[in-house]
Amino acid sequence: MRKQVKNNVSWVGKVDWELEKFHGEEYSTHKGSTYNSYLIEEEKTVLIDTVWLPFGEEFVENLAKEIDLNKIDYIIANHGEIDHSGGLPALMKHIPNTPIYCTANAVKSLKGQFHKDWNFKTVKTGDSLDIGNGKSLVFVEMAMLHWPDSMAVYLTEDNILFSNDAFGQHYATENLFNDLVDQCELFEESIKYYANILTPFSAILRKKLDEVIALNLPIDIIATSHGVIWRDNPMQIIEKYSQWANDYQENQITILYDTMWNGTKLLAEKIAEGISSVDSEVVVKLYNIAKNDINDMITQVFKSKTVAIGSPTIGNNILHTTAALIHMMKILKFKNKKAAAFGCYGWSGESVKILNERMKDAGFEVSTEGYRSLWKPTIDAEKEAIEYGKKIASL
Ligand code: FEO
């Protein structure tokens, strides 16, 4: 069922309340998601994006209840990833010759995924499409936000920026607009989305934000492709992105550890005690890596100035959970963050050295040798861990 966004612009997407994981198993979506598709009905009828592939047939059936599909003059594919283009195969069976406006890279991704030679019309930044009634669509390439094929499109007169992935959140809601949902949930899902998806592209994003601001376009609404539409002070999410894209950190130290017989866990708790004993204001958070959601921990890393990471030694190495988390931190290319390592051992004791190497390789600044403790920490070892915590507080 369609929902009005503004004037002749409607939302015709899909709310996916059941989604638990996105990008395969890579991203946890505790609050589901939405795939936002938009219909513009001026002298020309325009469809912007579709929905995720499994909902493609349902999407087309619903759309056909709203309009005669043959009336669609233009399709805009802002991004080829199948959470937005997945409705195209079902739709194009009905209207195979309708032009699809997209970037040159999107032609590659759409052809690569669907193996169809649809009527593609490639566009670049600044190109525009007249849709009648004095309105036009202006295209803005958004390469790497989130794929090389991404773009946004701006609707003049109504002043709506259809931003696709940028400014989105995995957040299922029937309420459509940012002012109608729980603000804490909205902020948490927005920062998690940025931390887990957009962090590697922060430098590109900084330039793109400057470019968009320099265009001096009035923006009344930012209509994303996931989650809510920003109609109440849409600049608030642009301002947040400006902060997040600038090597963001809060006054937070996060301790991430895995443990076999609770020795490394004890060190983690003593390190936390040490940090808090010398700095009562810094936010200290502890997570057992094996027991917490990896994307939620990544969000905490994103907020942190320093990460303390712990693993006991196993097989002359570190626990696989810890290795996986460091791998994810590496691919997200965090900047301006410090790291410190710790862990228990019984025999060879390589874990702390390996943690240091891997955290350096992941782009973190490592300036201490770390702290390791033989067997179950003694009272003296607990005191040493507290001292190490004090040292971490002052990194
Ligand atoms: Fe929501 Fe990059 O797709």
Side-chain angles (χ1 to χ4, degrees):
M1 190 181 74
R2 75 164 72 193
K3 295 178 183 178
Q4 191 194 26
V5 176
K6 183 179 180 182
N7 298 332
N8 297 324
V9 179
S10 309
W11 176 94
V12 288
K14 171 71 185 176
V15 181
D16 188 354
W17 289 96
E18 284 196 356
L19 189 75
E20 293 178 336
K21 293 278 185 174
F22 186 78
H23 280 161
E25 296 293 312
E26 280 292 288
Y27 186 116
S28 59
T29 49
H30 307 312
K31 295 189 172 63
S33 192
T34 75
Y35 317 107
N36 298 338
S37 170
Y38 299 98
L39 189 65
I40 307 172
E41 293 161 288
E42 298 295 347
E43 286 173 41
K44 299 290 186 186
T45 300
V46 183
L47 182 72
I48 299 182
D49 293 324
T50 62
V51 296
W52 185 29
L53 193 59
F55 300 108
E57 296 284 349
E58 170 189 329
F59 167 75
V60 173
E61 278 172 28
N62 288 336
L63 191 61
K65 290 176 194 160
E66 301 295 338
I67 54 158
D68 174 355
L69 298 178
N70 291 302
K71 285 193 173 164
I72 298 174
D73 296 292
Y74 309 128
I75 296 166
I76 312 294
N78 276 332
H79 178 23
E81 198 163 12
I82 60 165
D83 50 328
H84 309 295
S85 63
L88 286 177
L91 180 64
M92 300 313 281
K93 280 187 216 158
H94 297 271
I95 48 172
N97 300 316
T98 305
I100 299 175
Y101 288 78
C102 61
T103 62
N105 274 333
V107 176
K108 290 183 200 166
S109 67
L110 291 168
K111 280 189 179 176
Q113 293 172 106
F114 300 120
H115 310 136
K116 299 283 185 193
D117 202 9
W118 292 317
N119 180 14
F120 296 111
K121 305 282 185 196
T122 59
V123 292
K124 295 192 174 78
T125 296
D127 289 350
S128 67
L129 185 62
D130 188 343
I131 60 170
N133 295 332
K135 298 182 184 180
S136 58
L137 291 168
V138 181
F139 301 98
V140 184
E141 289 167 275
M142 301 276 273
M144 301 317 297
L145 301 172
H146 139 249
W147 273 6
D149 66 5
S150 297
M151 71 172 183
V153 62
Y154 177 76
L155 173 59
T156 63
E157 301 303 314
D158 288 327
N159 304 337
I160 302 175
L161 180 69
F162 298 93
S163 62
N164 197 258
D165 279 335
F167 312 119
Q169 338 82 44
H170 287 303
Y171 185 35
T173 173
E174 289 292 338
N175 294 95
L176 204 62
F177 297 106
N178 67 312
D179 51 303
L180 300 180
V181 299
D182 182 301
Q183 297 301 295
C184 291
E185 288 184 352
L186 175 57
F187 176 79
E188 277 307 312
E189 293 305 324
S190 296
I191 195 168
K192 177 177 177 177
Y193 185 95
Y194 190 98
N196 283 274
I197 294 180
L198 295 175
T199 300
F201 313 120
S202 288
I204 296 167
L205 187 63
R206 287 197 294 271
K207 280 191 201 147
K208 188 53 67 178
L209 286 174
D210 290 345
E211 196 182 308
V212 170
I213 290 165
L215 289 173
N216 214 14
L217 299 169
I219 296 175
D220 293 344
I221 289 176
I222 296 176
T224 67
S225 60
H226 296 293
V228 298
I229 295 168
W230 299 90
R231 72 172 176 189
D232 175 43
N233 183 18
M235 289 311 288
Q236 66 177 294
I237 190 64
I238 292 182
E239 283 158 16
K240 280 289 174 205
Y241 267 49
S242 294
Q243 293 171 16
W244 295 340
N246 277 285
D247 302 341
Y248 185 72
Q249 57 174 238
E250 297 176 13
N251 186 23
Q252 177 172 328
I253 298 174
T254 302
I255 302 169
L256 303 155
Y257 65 93
D258 197 356
T259 193
M260 288 193 289
W261 301 112
N262 288 338
T264 302
K265 175 185 174 184
L266 181 59
L267 295 183
E269 290 172 349
K270 292 298 163 189
I271 286 169
E273 202 177 312
I275 296 168
S276 298
S277 71
V278 291
D279 185 343
S280 60
E281 291 188 2
V282 67
V283 174
V284 181
K285 294 190 180 178
L286 270 82
Y287 294 92
N288 180 320
I289 298 167
K291 295 184 178 182
N292 283 279
D293 180 277
I294 196 163
N295 304 107
D296 293 339
M297 290 186 285
I298 285 290
T299 308
Q300 298 304 324
V301 171
F302 181 69
K303 292 179 182 176
S304 301
K305 58 182 182 181
T306 300
V307 170
I309 188 149
S311 171
T313 298
I314 180 169
N316 308 109
N317 217 301
I318 59 175
L319 289 170
H320 76 278
T321 50
T322 314
L325 179 62
I326 297 172
H327 173 76
M328 193 173 268
M329 289 194 267
K330 179 177 175 176
I331 62 178
L332 288 169
K333 300 185 173 76
F334 288 110
K335 301 272 189 307
N336 192 31
K337 295 194 189 295
K338 295 174 175 150
F342 62 95
C344 283
Y345 67 106
W347 306 105
S348 55
E350 294 93 338
S351 70
V352 169
K353 183 169 171 282
I354 291 169
L355 288 169
N356 280 337
E357 286 165 1
R358 297 222 184 155
M359 290 304 281
K360 274 184 205 165
D361 180 54
F364 287 71
E365 184 189 325
V366 178
S367 61
T368 75
E369 283 185 10
Y371 177 72
R372 61 179 196 159
S373 176
L374 182 61
W375 297 110
K376 181 186 174 189
T378 60
I379 296 293
D380 283 345
E382 289 184 26
K383 287 179 187 163
E384 286 169 5
I386 290 171
E387 290 307 309
Y388 188 53
K390 291 177 185 173
K391 193 170 182 177
I392 290 170
S394 60
L395 288 176

